[in-house]
Amino acid sequence: MAQRYMLVYQEPMPVEQLVQGVCDRKQGYTQFGGLRPYGVSFLFAGWDRHYGLQLYQSDPSGNYGGWKATAIGANHQAATSMLKQEYQPECDLTEATALALKVLSKSMDSTTLSAEKLEMSQIVLGADGELVYKLLEDDEVDKLLEAAGQTSAQQEEG
């Protein structure tokens, strides 16, 4: 879908248009009994020149909505509740990362967070206006856990 758009218009597909196309396809399968190949919720994160960074959530029926911060999966109610209370739109990358780690520590089925139990990535706009995607290494995740106060030693004390 996005490749076809790029071929025709010679520019990247707007994020919401891509989300709408995928969700229309998901919804189409709900019209026939027994078919639901996309029986999961999706989180779409993207950037386009029209609206900048965007986050969308879709459910298995094809409904979707835009969010500043949200969660899906096990314990998503607790995670979403915490995000509603503590998310600040003007937060920087460090604050957002610390909040994400706090939410994960409260909503995961694990007693302690460690780099072996989670993966983190960051998507930011570089100085040249290009998107930079970075998958963090285990040692970087451990440093972030420590800085956010989510290390195993500190969790055992608290």
Side-chain angles (χ1 to χ4, degrees):
M1 188 177 319
Q3 283 298 110
R4 192 173 317 130
Y5 187 96
M6 177 67 101
L7 181 68
V8 172
Y9 299 105
Q10 298 298 309
E11 67 177 30
M13 186 175 203
V15 177
E16 187 172 9
Q17 191 172 345
L18 177 61
V19 171
Q20 184 178 13
V22 171
C23 289
D24 285 348
R25 183 163 294 179
K26 287 171 67 171
Q27 194 280 329
Y29 282 105
T30 66
Q31 296 178 8
F32 305 102
L35 295 176
R36 198 171 267 191
Y38 302 103
V40 295
S41 292
F42 291 163
L43 281 180
F44 299 88
W47 181 89
D48 63 39
R49 63 185 172 98
H50 305 287
Y51 297 108
L53 294 167
Q54 300 162 69
L55 177 66
Y56 293 93
Q57 175 185 350
S58 75
D59 63 23
S61 68
N63 291 324
Y64 72 93
W67 294 86
K68 295 286 185 184
T70 191
I72 59 175
N75 298 328
H76 76 276
Q77 296 95 344
T80 303
S81 174
M82 188 178 297
L83 287 168
K84 283 181 182 177
Q85 292 173 359
E86 299 189 28
Y87 175 76
Q88 299 296 323
E90 63 279 347
C91 66
D92 61 18
L93 184 60
T94 304
E95 294 167 333
T97 303
L99 178 58
L101 291 171
K102 181 177 180 182
V103 169
L104 286 170
S105 73
K106 302 291 186 204
S107 61
M108 282 180 60
D109 291 332
S110 179
T111 56
T112 59
L113 289 181
S114 66
E116 292 81 37
K117 294 179 183 173
L118 61 95
E119 282 185 6
M120 291 194 78
S121 62
Q122 298 173 338
I123 302 174
V124 295
L125 280 179
D128 58 355
E130 292 292 317
L131 276 182
V132 177
Y133 174 82
K134 181 180 179 188
L135 183 60
L136 302 178
E137 300 292 331
D138 286 352
D139 60 331
E140 293 174 294
V141 172
D142 284 331
K143 287 178 187 173
L144 288 170
L145 286 167
E146 189 174 316
Q150 301 298 329
T151 59
S152 57
Q154 289 171 338
Q155 285 183 353
E156 289 167 5
E157 291 172 6

